[in-house]
């Protein structure tokens, strides 16, 4: 009894084609998922203008980092507070703080608010912050001088309500 070899058939071609495109689709779906789940959402209006200002802003941020002033966020009893401290833990001297709340992806819930001074180095607001992830840009000033400019990312689930 001899077995006859049929060679490369239409069925083989179909399986090869389905396998080839299956791998391509699987890789694209995986890459799309990873990209959408890891994207920070930070974008600029005009990339050319942002690129021209990058070095200037980087130097300003280095100077602020060297000052040793740092901020922290808390939500206690529905009150959103921002505390500024010097390197030694003493309250930093600031007159005003502007907080710009942004969602990591999308801008339909974004808002900005001026926090009220609640004490030395402490600012707060009773404005309700919706649940979820936020990136908040804080600009703290003493007169016309920027004391601290930072962005903090947090999830409201990490705070007691």
């Amino acid at each position: 009894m001899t077995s006859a070899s049929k060679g490369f058939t239409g069925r083989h071609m179909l399986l090869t084609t389905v396998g080839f495109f299956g791998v391509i689709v699987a890789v694209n779906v995986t890459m799309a998922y990873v990209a959408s789940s890891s994207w920070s959402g930070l974008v600029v209006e005009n990339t050319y203008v942002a690129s021209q200002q990058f070095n200037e802003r980087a130097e300003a941020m280095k100077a602020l980092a060297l000052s040793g002033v740092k901020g922290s966020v808390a939500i206690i009893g529905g009150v959103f507070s921002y505390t500024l401290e010097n390197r030694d833990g003493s309250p930093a001297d600031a007159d005003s703080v502007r907080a710009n709340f942004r969602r990591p992806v999308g801008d339909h819930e974004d808002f900005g608010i001026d926090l009220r001074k609640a004490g030395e180095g402490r600012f707060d607001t009773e404005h309700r912050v919706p649940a979820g992830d936020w990136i908040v840009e804080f600009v703290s000033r003493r007169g016309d001088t920027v004391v601290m400019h930072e962005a903090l990312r947090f999830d409201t689930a990490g705070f007691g309500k």
Side-chain angles (χ1 to χ4, degrees), residues 22-38:
V23 168
I24 290 175
V25 169
V27 168
N28 283 331
V29 167
T30 302
M31 290 176 66
Y33 172 76
V34 170
S36 67
S37 66
S38 65

Side-chain angles (χ1 to χ4, degrees), residues 2-121:
T2 62
S3 66
S5 175
K6 292 186 179 182
F8 192 79
T9 65
R11 180 176 298 221
H12 293 119
M13 186 64 202
L14 176 65
L15 292 174
T16 302
T17 303
V18 168
F20 175 78
F21 285 107
V23 168
I24 290 175
V25 169
V27 168
N28 283 331
V29 167
T30 302
M31 290 176 66
Y33 172 76
V34 170
S36 67
S37 66
S38 65
W39 180 56
S40 69
L42 298 176
V43 295
V44 294
E45 295 281 327
N46 184 326
T47 56
Y48 177 76
V49 171
S51 71
Q52 300 303 307
Q53 297 170 340
F54 179 81
N55 288 338
E56 179 182 311
R57 288 185 179 189
E59 289 301 319
M61 293 311 232
K62 284 180 190 174
L64 287 175
L66 289 175
S67 74
V69 176
K70 62 181 178 178
S72 61
V73 171
I75 301 174
I76 301 171
V79 176
F80 178 88
S81 66
Y82 177 66
T83 304
L84 280 170
E85 295 179 342
N86 292 312
R87 190 183 317 271
D88 62 4
S90 64
D93 187 21
D95 300 327
S96 65
V97 173
R98 173 77 179 171
N100 297 307
F101 290 76
R102 293 186 176 89
R103 288 290 193 182
V105 179
D107 60 3
H108 63 282
E109 290 184 290
D110 295 357
F111 66 95
I113 191 165
D114 292 316
L115 303 179
R116 69 173 175 254
K117 191 167 187 171
E120 287 303 312

Side-chain angles (χ1 to χ4, degrees), residues 100-147:
N100 297 307
F101 290 76
R102 293 186 176 89
R103 288 290 193 182
V105 179
D107 60 3
H108 63 282
E109 290 184 290
D110 295 357
F111 66 95
I113 191 165
D114 292 316
L115 303 179
R116 69 173 175 254
K117 191 167 187 171
E120 287 303 312
R122 189 166 162 264
F123 298 83
D124 64 24
T125 182
E126 291 188 18
H127 188 282
R128 187 175 105 38
V129 178
D133 290 325
W134 289 96
I135 297 172
V136 185
E137 174 193 30
F138 296 98
V139 180
S140 308
R141 297 180 182 276
R142 181 177 49 244
D144 290 337
T145 305
V146 174
V147 176

